[in-house]
Amino acid sequence: MNKTPNPGFAAEFDPARVREIALRLKDLEGPLLPILHAVSDAFGYVDDRALPIIADMLNLTRAEVHGVVSFYHDFRRQASGRRLVKICRAEACQSMGAMGLIASLEKALGVRLGETSSDREITLEAVYCLGNCALAPAAMIDGQLVGRLDAEKVMQRVRS
Amino acid sequence: MTQLIFVPDDSAALSVGADDVADAILMEIRKRGLDTKLVRTGSRGLFWLEPLVEFGAPGGRIGYGGVTPESVPALFDDPGHRASLGLVEEIPFLKSQQRLTFARCGVTDPLSLEAYQSHGGLKGLRRALQMKPAGIVEEIVQSGLRGRGGAGFPAGIKWRTVAEAQGAQKYVVCNADEGDSGTFADRMLMEGDPFLLIEGMIIAGVAVGADKGFIYLRSEYPHAFAKLSRAVEIARQEGVLGEKILGSPHRFELELRLGAGAYICGEETSLLESLEGRRGQVRPKPPLPALSGLFGKPTVINNVLTLAAAPTILAEGAAFYKDFGMGRSRGTMPVQLAGNVRRGGLIERAFGLSLREIIEDYGGGTNSGRPVRAVQVGGPLGAYWPVSLLDTPFDYETFAEKSGMIGHGGVVVFDDTVDMAEQARFALEFCALESCGKCTPCRIGSTRGAETVDRIMQGENVADNTALVRDLCEVLRDGSLCALGGLTPMPVLSALDHFPEDFAAGRRAPAHNRK
């Protein structure tokens, strides 16, 4: 699990697969988040077309499902770039120069925080605490936690 | 006798290459045909030494800090090299600690139930199973244990309320949404000693009459999720979870749930909403979750460290636990030292340790070598303190008297390059990002506040705008349902109070934290 597959892929949308996921999980107590996580894992994002299917199977309104999807930072509405850099912007990392690091990464990668490069090669995102605060600055690069980070280390990884 | 070598399998250790070091060690063992076994443990919490490799020896484990795959062969070649850190237990940072909750973390294989038991695990649960539920609750009450998530509410009182509540179905919910910057104790424990949390939750379940538990874990902790999932499976196979726990008439089931990147879901009522499958919006209290919690049923909701303290209290007795600490803060507190500090890590000690001891004695000052200027204790909603307050002892009440809070025990150190106006602005920006939107002062005031701090930083009507920010903080504090809106004023006002020079007119060109 610590070597999670690259989250940047996007599988083609398949309503049958959404139905299958929802059917498998719908009897859990409070099934909506587990279903959304599973859909997100299966496709790399939560496609708008999945919402009415899930709503129907859980006997919820589309508005309710949309409300939940849009509330949580994790449920992206389209796939990320092929490489995903989530860089920590919280206080402990700030104290070790995270803000400056982010600025130099934006320059080096040619993409602003919160954006995906036009060739969909890389997404740079902010995250608020990865629990690696004694080895700051930290980032999650393609699902792998990296500590004592500098711009060079990030570039090395995303170019590997 | 087979020699043992220990390498942590903890996220922080992995983040600086522990897996590559472990691979190199395995290769070396094979190459040399040694009768040696590699054991993956949690972390000792001496993070500046990671990857920290330990070689088992008759007198105790010998440690080597900052090991790289390239340096591995030398550890095998040169016994002198082996003395680099000496006995791990003798490293001053570790030796002076009082590890109750973290006694096994970094020592044992976290997924070996056998190792867990041979190091005192399940002793608390076995004793609890011999007791009447009310007796278990009483033990927790007597121990003086308070909620380690931040609010510091007496855990025993919460358990008693749930135990006395009417209802066929009750729940135990573990809040593992450790979102505060500067904290990592929950993560370390879930990765390094997951059975302890499971044991604590079962004890809570037996005490209050709940047969179902949920752990709500933040999605930023995938490694902890993997470790805990495996531990739950093992506990189920071994009869620790499920029907007839350890042969007793009690049953307890446990489910793991992932959060989805919302800081607010660390707030207990928002967490319950999220578990139920809704937007993580805060609920008004009353009703208390103890009476009407998850799915409207009586629910114990506690932080990881609170639940993980229960086995020790049951195993050793309330008096043993209560003996640690000061004032109304009883037991030990796992302090997490982070940020710009030379030796960052986990310090479990009785309450009462001063911030100066934490930062100077344990931490060795800043990592940059520059003077300490500010310390934020208690996460993003905690106060920023100047060095003049460093002699404050770690204690709920003493911190509150000085308009601060210990929160979940995170201590983040900043050197003298910090701009406190930027930090105040960030606190408001973070509140805006993470607000659930229920209360207007938090939803809108946070954005307006960040804009106003911008104006102050640009030297625009500084006195008026400062008064406006203070006024806004009052509205936030008094007009918010939960701690996000209610406590965002703490970092903002403490920055204004203790570091007024950083808000002085025309001090700088508008350079921002903003993206």
Side-chain angles (χ1 to χ4, degrees), chain B residues 28 33 104 142 174 214 254 359 376 416 461 465 473 491 496:
Chain B
E28 216 50 37
R104 273 172 302 263
Q142 289 305 324
C174 171
F214 288 94
L254 197 51
I359 294 164
Q376 188 181 32
D416 63 350
N461 297 330
N465 278 320
C473 282
L496 274 166

Side-chain angles (χ1 to χ4, degrees), chain A residues 1-3 28-30 32-34 37 67-68 70-75 89-92 94-96 99 106 112-113 127-135 140 145-148, chain B residues 12 14-15 47 171 181-182 184 187 212 218-219 221-223 226 257-261 274-275 277-280 338-340 367 376 380 384 413-414 423 426 429 433-434 513 515:
Chain A
M1 180 86 186
N2 59 327
K3 291 217 167 74
L28 289 175
E29 294 174 271
L32 187 50
L33 260 72
H37 269 303
V68 171
S70 58
F71 183 86
Y72 296 96
H73 301 303
D74 276 6
F75 301 132
R89 203 170 170 268
E91 289 86 344
Q94 289 172 20
S95 78
M96 289 295 285
M99 295 305 189
E106 286 182 321
R112 306 258 326 230
L113 197 65
V127 66
Y128 295 87
C129 199
L130 294 162
N132 201 18
C133 319
L135 293 174
M140 189 79 93
L145 183 63
V146 191
R148 287 276 187 254
Chain B
L14 297 175
S15 84
F47 289 120
Y171 294 103
S181 174
F184 42 78
R187 180 189 61 66
K212 178 83 188 262
R218 67 199 297 257
S219 60
Y221 287 177
H223 195 56
R257 288 293 170 86
L258 267 185
S274 183
L275 263 182
R278 281 193 288 274
R279 294 163 69 88
N340 196 334
N367 185 68
Q376 188 181 32
Y384 283 104
V413 181
F414 292 82
Q423 298 311 122
F426 177 79
E429 182 194 346
L433 270 169
E434 298 299 330
N513 264 341
K515 62 172 188 189

Side-chain angles (χ1 to χ4, degrees), chain B residues 407-486:
Chain B
H408 184 50
V411 175
V412 177
V413 181
F414 292 82
D415 72 10
D416 63 350
T417 60
V418 68
D419 179 338
M420 294 309 299
E422 290 278 9
Q423 298 311 122
R425 186 192 187 284
F426 177 79
L428 288 156
E429 182 194 346
F430 184 69
C431 178
L433 270 169
E434 298 299 330
S435 174
C436 80
K438 184 120 174 167
C439 312
T440 313
C442 175
R443 183 180 68 246
I444 296 172
S446 50
T447 300
R448 296 289 97 90
E451 291 165 358
T452 313
V453 175
D454 275 351
R455 289 191 198 104
I456 295 172
M457 289 166 75
Q458 289 163 34
E460 209 181 303
N461 297 330
V462 172
D464 289 354
N465 278 320
T466 305
L468 199 59
V469 169
R470 286 186 179 276
D471 189 51
L472 176 75
C473 282
E474 204 172 300
V475 177
L476 269 165
R477 191 191 61 212
D478 297 340
S480 307
L481 276 175
C482 84
L484 180 56

Side-chain angles (χ1 to χ4, degrees), chain A residues 76 80 84-88 113-115 123-127:
Chain A
R76 56 181 79 245
S80 68
L84 176 59
V85 179
K86 289 177 155 192
I87 187 150
C88 180
L113 197 65
E115 291 177 0
T123 298
L124 182 64
E125 274 179 1
V127 66

Side-chain angles (χ1 to χ4, degrees), chain B residues 124-336:
Chain B
L125 176 59
R126 284 185 205 284
R127 179 160 170 253
L129 291 171
Q130 308 293 320
M131 295 165 70
K132 287 205 167 68
I136 304 173
V137 170
E138 199 49 35
E139 199 82 47
I140 300 294
V141 172
Q142 289 305 324
S143 74
L145 176 67
R146 292 166 71 175
R148 297 283 185 256
F153 187 81
I157 305 296
K158 197 183 262 187
W159 288 25
R160 187 190 283 157
T161 310
V162 178
E164 288 171 359
Q166 297 302 312
Q169 178 69 60
K170 297 178 186 177
Y171 294 103
V172 176
V173 174
C174 171
N175 184 344
D177 196 62
E178 185 179 53
D180 287 357
S181 174
T183 65
F184 42 78
D186 295 354
R187 180 189 61 66
M188 263 183 74
L189 188 99
M190 292 183 287
E191 293 177 1
D193 198 12
F195 292 124
L196 184 67
L197 173 59
I198 295 171
E199 184 182 352
M201 290 186 72
I202 302 171
I203 292 172
V206 173
V208 305
D211 63 359
K212 178 83 188 262
F214 288 94
I215 300 173
Y216 185 91
L217 176 67
R218 67 199 297 257
S219 60
E220 290 84 348
Y221 287 177
H223 195 56
F225 184 79
K227 275 270 153 75
L228 259 179
S229 308
R230 191 69 198 104
V232 167
E233 264 173 52
I234 294 168
R236 207 172 277 145
Q237 283 161 11
E238 301 295 324
V240 177
L241 283 170
E243 304 290 334
K244 301 201 187 327
I245 296 159
L246 298 175
S248 75
H250 298 278
R251 68 183 292 267
F252 194 77
E253 254 316 323
L254 197 51
E255 241 183 79
L256 231 60
R257 288 293 170 86
L258 267 185
Y263 176 75
I264 192 63
C265 290
E267 198 284 332
E268 61 180 13
T269 62
S270 161
L271 186 156
L272 295 174
E273 286 288 305
S274 183
L275 263 182
E276 290 181 16
R278 281 193 288 274
R279 294 163 69 88
Q281 280 199 314
V282 173
R283 295 177 186 170
K285 287 190 277 196
L288 294 172
L291 298 173
S292 176
L294 187 62
F295 302 109
K297 310 291 186 209
T299 302
V300 167
I301 176 163
N302 279 140
N303 171 255
V304 173
L305 301 179
T306 317
L307 290 161
T312 307
I313 293 166
L314 267 296
E316 308 298 332
F320 168 83
Y321 194 77
K322 201 177 182 167
D323 254 7
F324 294 88
M326 69 173 277
R328 287 170 47 216
S329 305
R330 311 311 312 178
T332 57
M333 181 72 200
V335 175
Q336 299 129 81

